[in-house]
Amino acid sequence: MNKAQIVGKKEAGLTRNLVGFKMLEKGIPRQGYSLFSFDNKEIGKVTSGTHSPTLDEPIGIAFIDVAYAKEGTEFLLDIRGRKVKAVVCKTPFVTK
């Protein structure tokens, strides 16, 4: 990537944000799973996910379209063909 391409992308603005999320329904998020809006538009991808033993609930990190990145926004996560609800939440997941 050259300087002009980098400057062009910077001027265009962000299209995706890295956010934390928690599952609202049963399922464990895994890397590469797709995120969808409620109108079935793909809005992102999971970068990391697991079941948190500290919180005793499934959590993850994902790149998601800026329009859906606000804390409290619900979306669907495709887990092997089954869409389940999740919600954007504040990170870090555990505070002192």
Side-chain angles (χ1 to χ4, degrees):
M1 195 178 271
N2 62 34
K3 181 179 178 181
Q5 290 172 319
I6 294 170
V7 170
K9 286 187 182 236
K10 186 175 181 182
E11 288 173 353
L14 293 174
T15 58
R16 292 195 171 191
N17 278 354
L18 190 64
V19 298
F21 67 91
K22 293 181 180 182
M23 299 299 297
L24 296 176
E25 297 178 352
K26 189 176 178 180
I28 305 293
R30 298 287 184 215
Q31 180 181 2
Y33 285 2
S34 296
L35 311 177
F36 290 88
S37 64
F38 287 100
D39 60 355
N40 210 31
K41 175 186 167 201
E42 187 170 356
I43 58 171
K45 292 271 186 195
V46 175
T47 60
S48 176
T50 190
H51 181 84
S52 169
T54 305
L55 300 172
D56 195 29
E57 63 185 332
I59 60 171
I61 302 287
F63 276 112
I64 193 167
D65 290 351
V66 173
Y68 299 91
K70 185 178 177 187
E71 186 177 348
T73 303
E74 291 185 8
F75 59 89
L76 299 171
L77 177 65
D78 186 345
I79 300 179
R80 291 173 270 147
R82 183 174 57 97
K83 292 190 176 151
V84 294
K85 284 185 183 179
V87 63
V88 175
C89 66
K90 194 173 183 176
T91 56
F93 296 103
V94 179
T95 58
K96 292 182 178 183

